[in-house]
Amino acid sequence: MTSLTALAKRAAPVFACIGLLAAWQVASLALKNDSFPTAIEAIRAIPDILGDKEALINILASLRRMAVGFGIAVSVSIPLGLLMGRSRAVAAFFNPLLMVIYPVPKAALMPIIMLWLGVGDITKTLVIFLGVSLPVIYHSFEGAKAVEEKMLWSGAAMGLSPAQRLVRIVLPAALPEILTGCRTGLVLALITMITSEMIARQSGAGNILFNALDMGQYDTVFAMIIIVGAMGICLDAIFERVRARLVRWSEPQFDLPLSFS
């Protein structure tokens, strides 16, 4: 029974995708709209896209931008969020700035950034960085703030400096919350990547999608949507594997006393 339940949980996403495709097929046949191809037509267009060398280069360029933007955002946001969680002065300085930036759609910043930096990779990477950084900062902040003070007191008693306590106690203890922010950031990286490429149209998956829309190739448009969705599923699966390994490291890196006298 347990194995059947586990199998059903694993198969649930597959059945959900099949159900969505079936609903799409029925809706397209019912509406009979040229701009809304059937699921079968969109799926048939996928091999043509993946078999095109130029299209593959564009998709790989998108993944490269996404990886760079995500990597820089995580490298900057985790230390900043941890410092904000453990220092009231740092939090008081950065909180108003984040409150102003957070509600602004990152796509709305594209025209301004394009005026400053042009339409190249730097602009798109910066937009991805902005989209990823805020949820990672927030979750790092919440994770650091939730660390028990007695753990830090124990570290201080054992001679750890503030920087050592941040790395060896706060970071491992806050890691599950940080990884939640990183997972959210990964989704936002994919969204902002496609959005930025549709606005600054030079290369990338978003450029393929928008060009197909301009030329009325609606089967290609929907095929690209499927490909982008598949990219998101694959990236999330890879992240889950990495997360499972990192969580094992999330215990504090020294032995705490059981009680204080």
Side-chain angles (χ1 to χ4, degrees):
M1 183 64 69
T2 304
S3 60
L4 288 175
T5 303
L7 182 62
K9 287 183 179 179
R10 290 186 177 183
V14 177
F15 288 123
C17 291
I18 293 173
L20 178 61
L21 291 173
W24 174 2
Q25 182 74 14
V26 171
S28 178
L29 292 173
L31 292 174
K32 296 180 180 179
N33 191 324
D34 292 338
S35 62
F36 186 27
T38 64
I40 293 175
E41 289 172 339
I43 292 170
R44 284 176 179 169
I46 292 175
D48 294 333
I49 296 172
L50 298 181
D52 183 6
K53 182 179 178 181
E54 186 177 348
L56 284 177
I57 291 173
N58 277 278
I59 293 171
L60 290 175
S62 295
L63 291 174
R64 174 177 52 79
R65 294 187 193 105
M66 182 178 170
V68 172
F70 182 81
I72 296 173
V74 168
S75 301
V76 173
S77 302
I78 292 176
L80 179 57
L82 295 178
L83 286 171
M84 289 174 62
R86 300 314 310 173
S87 170
R88 291 183 179 179
V90 176
F93 179 80
F94 283 101
N95 265 332
L97 298 176
L98 296 176
M99 289 292 183
V100 171
I101 296 172
Y102 185 77
V104 179
K106 304 307 167 285
L109 299 175
M110 279 292 295
I112 299 173
I113 298 174
M114 286 167 61
L115 287 174
W116 294 343
L117 303 175
V119 295
D121 281 4
I122 296 176
T123 297
K124 297 163 189 171
T125 303
L126 180 58
V127 172
I128 294 170
F129 167 82
L130 293 173
V132 173
S133 59
L134 294 173
V136 178
I137 290 173
Y138 172 77
H139 284 278
S140 301
F141 168 74
E142 290 294 327
K145 193 168 64 172
V147 176
E148 295 183 10
E149 291 293 335
K150 66 181 181 181
M151 298 174 67
L152 298 171
W153 296 338
S154 296
M158 296 174 68
L160 296 180
S161 67
Q164 288 175 322
R165 294 198 296 271
L166 192 70
V167 173
R168 298 184 62 185
I169 303 174
V170 178
L171 176 59
L175 191 58
E177 185 72 22
I178 291 171
L179 292 174
T180 300
C182 290
R183 188 175 187 179
T184 304
L186 188 64
V187 175
L188 291 173
L190 185 62
I191 294 171
T192 52
M193 176 194 75
I194 297 297
T195 304
S196 66
E197 290 172 350
M198 290 177 69
I199 296 173
R201 296 167 55 188
Q202 281 189 325
S203 64
N207 183 50
I208 297 173
L209 197 155
F210 211 96
N211 284 340
L213 183 63
D214 276 351
M215 293 185 289
Q217 298 173 343
Y218 300 114
D219 55 343
T220 302
V221 172
F222 283 88
M224 277 304 304
I225 292 172
I226 294 173
I227 291 171
V228 171
M231 287 165 56
I233 292 171
C234 292
L235 290 171
D236 188 67
I238 293 170
F239 182 82
E240 273 299 295
R241 287 182 175 272
V242 174
R243 185 195 66 81
R245 293 187 178 184
L246 288 175
V247 165
R248 298 173 188 171
W249 178 75
S250 64
E251 292 298 323
Q253 308 249 321
F254 68 99
D255 295 329
L256 293 175
L258 294 178
S259 62
F260 295 89
S261 58

